[in-house]
Amino acid sequence: MNRRELHAALSRAGVADGYYRIEGVHEPVPTPTDFLFLRQASDGVWETGAYERGTYEIIARHPSEQDACGHLLRLLL
């Protein structure tokens, strides 16, 4: 599963748009106060985590986009 497929799966499952941010695919405006995220780090590793009160907290780092997408999907469902 890639980021676009993840976004489609979350939409089909009825997960509210403001609950998550997927870099380059789903970036809600205005930015929600708190959300789960998936992004690629500067070293090429994929990160999943939570944004709360203006701070990004990394939950896990993943070697592939596919692994990161699966993790975010499990967190949100």
Side-chain angles (χ1 to χ4, degrees):
M1 171 181 298
N2 65 33
R3 289 173 291 158
R4 285 176 177 68
E5 293 167 334
L6 171 61
H7 181 239
L10 292 171
S11 293
R12 281 191 307 273
V15 177
D17 284 344
Y19 287 2
Y20 64 97
R21 181 180 187 274
I22 301 170
E23 183 179 74
V25 174
H26 177 74
E27 300 177 5
V29 176
T31 301
T33 306
D34 304 314
F35 56 88
L36 295 177
F37 66 85
L38 183 153
R39 67 183 182 191
Q40 189 169 26
S42 60
D43 63 0
V45 176
W46 291 89
E47 299 173 332
T48 51
Y51 178 85
E52 296 179 287
R53 299 184 185 125
T55 302
Y56 285 94
E57 183 70 35
I58 306 302
I59 295 172
R61 292 172 50 86
H62 309 274
S64 70
E65 179 180 359
Q66 180 179 3
D67 291 339
C69 288
H71 184 234
L72 188 63
L73 182 65
R74 288 187 304 276
L75 290 173
L76 287 164
L77 294 183

